[in-house]
Amino acid sequence: MGAVAIDCTLGQAGHARQIMERITPGGRLLGIDRDPAAVQAGREALAAFGPAAVVVHGRFSELGAIAMEHGFSPADLILFDFGLSSGQVDSPERGFSFRAEGPLDMRMDPTSRLTAAHIVNDFDASEIERILRQYGEERWAHRIAEFIVARRPLRTTRDLVQAVEAAIPRRAWPRDIHVATRTFQGLRIAVNDELDEIENAIRAALLTLKPGGRMATISFHSLEDRLVKSFFNVESKDCICPPQQPVCTCGHRAALRIVTRHPVRPSEAEVAANPRARSARLRVAEKL
Ligand SMILES: C[S@@+](CC[C@H](N)C(=O)[O-])C[C@H]1O[C@@H](n2cnc3c(N)ncnc32)[C@H](O)[C@@H]1O
């Protein structure tokens, strides 16, 4: 029997195609994406593999139900490549880019309700501040939130960039990233509920894997990576009682083995060929 693989972040199917080339004939792949444009692109990219590749529109937090419904549970391999695809970042009309003017949208799934415009124009300043601080790790969150509220209504990504530029004193602008990077990251994570999605999905992935099956995650910032790292750490331990407790009372049993003790980083050559890979971190775990 060939391998059963699930790519939970199909995107433009770059990884999915590579997996298919290694597991066919005999293997099957389920591709999931919440972005209908990616679903369309993924279907076209995998058409040559016929019924061995199944592509589904959905959120990866629903992985358990989707895999079951399409006959992909239990699976040998589950892949997550978090974040945005190049297709999303490079389409100004999606509103993800601070480099091009577009609507304040930022929804990965345009059928979902919450947009960045709704957050910046309708949420309280304190809630905007929380989003920028917690999800953008932006230390100027308070001032940026005040400037956003004072400039309402904000219509485009340029309006938002200008609010951020005005809020942060020029001498404090970061040198290595765009001044609005953290604000855009914070809003994008809130719009798409990205961290809850990840927490629920990696839990579902563990349940969906067969013993000996592996899950691989590629993270692009510390908030994503931290969730995976702590999940792997907890689930690879037999006991999670506080260290000062002399006798175990938790009854917890290890459910996985960490394959990558340290995350795998891209080589210099890979970063030179694909600069967007520079912050990627790969972690792999095997179900016991
Ligand atoms: C970095 S891209 C993946 C690129 C892909 N590995 C490739 O080779 O083309 C991430 C993709 O995951 C999708 N995505 C992000 N969060 C998701 C979620 N919660 N559920 C399903 N898809 C999600 C995005 O829409 C995007 O297409």
Side-chain angles (χ1 to χ4, degrees):
M1 266 294 272
V4 174
I6 306 178
D7 183 346
C8 296
T9 48
L10 185 64
Q12 283 144 329
H15 286 130
R17 262 202 318 269
Q18 294 284 332
I19 294 169
M20 281 309 265
E21 275 160 23
R22 286 162 179 77
I23 65 172
T24 53
R28 300 180 292 132
L29 177 134
L30 170 66
I32 302 172
D33 206 293
R34 73 192 302 183
D35 183 346
V39 169
Q40 173 77 19
R43 269 198 191 122
E44 283 164 21
L46 298 173
F49 296 99
V54 176
V55 175
V56 172
H57 179 233
R59 287 181 287 123
F60 53 50
S61 56
E62 300 164 339
L63 166 64
I66 297 174
M68 198 77 86
E69 183 186 340
H70 294 274
F72 281 79
S73 185
D76 297 284
L77 165 71
I78 300 181
L79 172 66
F80 297 94
D81 179 13
F82 299 125
L84 297 171
S85 70
S86 302
Q88 289 164 334
V89 182
D90 296 337
S91 303
E93 71 278 8
R94 303 294 299 268
F96 289 112
S97 174
F98 36 72
R99 299 193 194 282
E101 184 153 32
L104 281 168
D105 190 321
M106 302 195 193
R107 287 171 300 175
M108 290 183 187
D109 180 352
T111 65
S112 62
R113 279 182 47 228
L114 184 62
T115 64
H118 183 36
I119 295 178
V120 297
N121 290 317
D122 302 320
F123 281 25
D124 290 346
S126 60
E127 182 57 7
I128 297 174
E129 175 182 347
R130 185 193 66 78
I131 288 170
L132 302 189
R133 196 177 302 288
Q134 194 173 330
Y135 301 148
E137 301 186 300
E138 171 59 74
R139 64 190 193 89
W140 294 93
H142 183 74
R143 250 174 88 84
I144 295 170
E146 282 184 336
F147 274 65
I148 285 174
V149 170
R151 286 169 175 238
R152 283 173 174 171
L154 277 66
R155 302 260 176 242
T156 69
T157 49
R158 183 147 308 148
D159 296 340
L160 179 58
V161 169
Q162 285 170 352
V164 177
E165 287 176 345
I168 306 181
R170 186 129 208 160
R171 65 186 149 69
W173 286 19
R175 276 172 227 273
D176 47 344
I177 54 171
H178 189 283
V179 65
T181 300
R182 294 196 171 96
T183 296
F184 273 64
Q185 175 185 305
L187 288 171
R188 191 200 94 197
I189 289 177
V191 165
N192 298 292
D193 195 17
E194 290 180 40
L195 302 183
D196 281 348
E197 276 290 309
I198 292 175
E199 279 216 83
N200 291 327
I202 50 183
R203 209 162 283 291
L206 184 56
L207 294 173
T208 304
L209 280 174
K210 52 175 84 145
R214 289 184 170 192
M215 85 165 100
T217 65
I218 304 172
S219 308
F220 286 86
H221 55 75
S222 54
L223 296 173
E224 293 167 345
D225 192 50
R226 222 175 285 153
L227 289 179
V228 176
K229 182 179 171 185
S230 81
F231 179 73
F232 282 9
N233 280 344
V234 168
E235 293 306 331
S236 61
K237 289 198 178 86
D238 265 340
C239 164
I240 51 172
C241 291
Q244 64 274 22
Q245 198 171 299
V247 180
C248 172
T249 51
C250 69
H252 190 266
R253 284 288 160 264
L256 55 78
R257 176 181 76 83
I258 299 174
V259 176
T260 48
R261 186 48 62 189
H262 300 290
V264 179
R265 311 277 312 272
S267 65
E268 273 177 36
E270 186 171 356
V271 174
N274 176 18
R276 282 181 180 163
R278 70 186 173 282
S279 46
R281 299 218 176 345
L282 168 73
R283 292 185 187 271
V284 180
E286 187 173 286
K287 179 161 171 169
L288 293 172

